[in-house]
Amino acid sequence: NAGVMQNPRHLVRRRGQEARLRCSPMKGHSHVYWYRQLPEEGLKFMVYLQKENIIDESGMPKERFSAEFPKEGPSILRIQQVVRGDSAAYFCASSPRDSTNYGYTFGSGTRLTVV
Amino acid sequence: AQTVTQSQPEMSVQEAETVTLSCTYDTSENNYYLFWYKQPPSRQMILVIRQEAYKQQNATENRFSVNFQKAAKSFSLKISDSQLGDTAMYFCAFIPGTASKLTFGTGTRLQVTL
């Protein structure tokens, strides 16, 4: 079992470009969560998805950010027109159905740097 | 809203010694779960230990144990026989039984020295 796979590990974008972050959950996991970690801070919840559905996006900024988890393929976190403040580590986690109380399995994160 | 507070930004312990990391939380929920995560320099988030709020017995995983005080809303992590590989950021986290999102504290940076 390869665990939760995130790519790329590092991503550099110029201001105004788009960033696409990918997350493949663990085999058998149908729930995906995205978290953001700013420097020297804890992780902050962004969005919770199941296949083809957004369940909770209460932590997502209203503009420029979107997430999807299609029937086939990885979950994608998309940031349009990136700004310096988007620089952070973005973590994806997955869990099997109805097992969120076990604390998820996290990927290694994507570090986004906006220059 | 739930909050998680870690009041120790940095801690240091000598190899083979014992260290305790503090965590307090605030919630109106009665059913919830608490976790400690370790984040080494590799950035990977590793689950260290979990505690179910309805269980009075403190969780233990090898050298790691917790002191869960539900009435005081306290959830400290004790690391016994500290090893160099324990050097990392440690995050306390909370999830209500009825929700799906973890709330993290700001972390404690632990340095294990020779």
Side-chain angles (χ1 to χ4, degrees), chain A residues 9-10 33 35 37 40-43 45 48 56 58 89 91 100-104 106-111, chain B residues 33 35 37 39 41-47 50 52 89 91 95-96 99-107 109:
Chain A
R9 184 125 170 93
H10 301 276
Y33 314 82
Y35 286 77
Q37 185 179 29
E40 304 302 317
E41 292 188 13
L43 279 69
F45 170 81
Y48 163 36
D56 181 353
S58 58
F91 287 88
T100 56
N101 53 313
Y102 284 86
Y104 319 151
F106 279 89
S108 296
T110 293
R111 183 176 295 283
Chain B
Y33 304 86
F35 307 88
Y37 280 89
Q39 187 179 42
S42 67
R43 211 171 62 214
Q44 176 78 44
M45 291 292 287
I46 302 166
L47 179 62
R50 65 185 285 273
E52 299 164 11
M89 283 289 288
F91 292 98
I95 189 168
S100 301
K101 50 189 176 186
L102 282 163
T103 299
F104 284 86
T106 52
R109 186 179 304 278

Side-chain angles (χ1 to χ4, degrees), chain A residues 14-99:
Chain A
R14 295 186 184 278
R15 281 178 294 171
Q17 290 185 320
E18 178 180 286
R20 292 171 70 89
L21 288 62
R22 295 175 188 79
C23 169
S24 296
M26 281 184 72
K27 187 176 180 180
H29 286 194
S30 57
H31 298 211
V32 165
Y33 314 82
W34 286 93
Y35 286 77
R36 176 165 63 177
Q37 185 179 29
L38 295 171
E40 304 302 317
E41 292 188 13
L43 279 69
K44 297 284 175 57
F45 170 81
M46 298 182 75
V47 62
Y48 163 36
L49 310 105
Q50 295 178 20
K51 287 281 187 182
E52 300 183 282
N53 285 304
I54 296 175
I55 307 302
D56 181 353
E57 56 181 349
S58 58
M60 286 275 274
K62 293 290 185 281
E63 297 178 351
R64 302 187 298 110
F65 285 73
S66 62
E68 62 176 6
F69 188 17
K71 187 177 181 180
E72 301 291 337
S75 175
I76 305 289
L77 179 66
R78 183 182 178 205
I79 311 172
Q80 295 178 292
Q81 300 175 332
V82 296
V83 301
R84 289 254 170 88
D86 297 333
S87 294
Y90 291 83
F91 287 88
C92 170
S94 72
S95 68
R97 180 181 175 85
D98 295 334
S99 297

